[in-house]
Amino acid sequence: MDDPDYFLPAAAALRAGIPELEIHAAIDRGHLRAVVYRGEIRIPAESLRELTRRMRAADTETGDSASPLGQ
């Protein structure tokens, strides 16, 4: 699946500027939509944009880099 609208978790993490484990945690918590294609998890670009938008909004509100993903 060489589609520019879907990313492997590692590539999604690089684009979002967060650790890959946070990408997996966001998927697990339902904060980030993912699809499985041929046994690999892919992140839709639109879902990643929404996550990074929420992260920027949380940074603005708190004045730090607190994760909006929760614990």
Side-chain angles (χ1 to χ4, degrees), residues 13-49:
L14 285 174
R15 284 184 163 272
I18 60 174
E20 185 178 347
L21 288 177
E22 282 197 40
I23 293 290
H24 290 284
I27 293 167
D28 186 49
R29 291 185 184 104
H31 294 256
L32 186 62
R33 191 169 69 87
V35 297
V36 177
Y37 179 76
R38 293 189 182 181
E40 292 186 311
I41 294 174
R42 306 289 176 131
I43 313 320
E46 182 58 39
S47 186
L48 185 60
R49 280 190 292 273

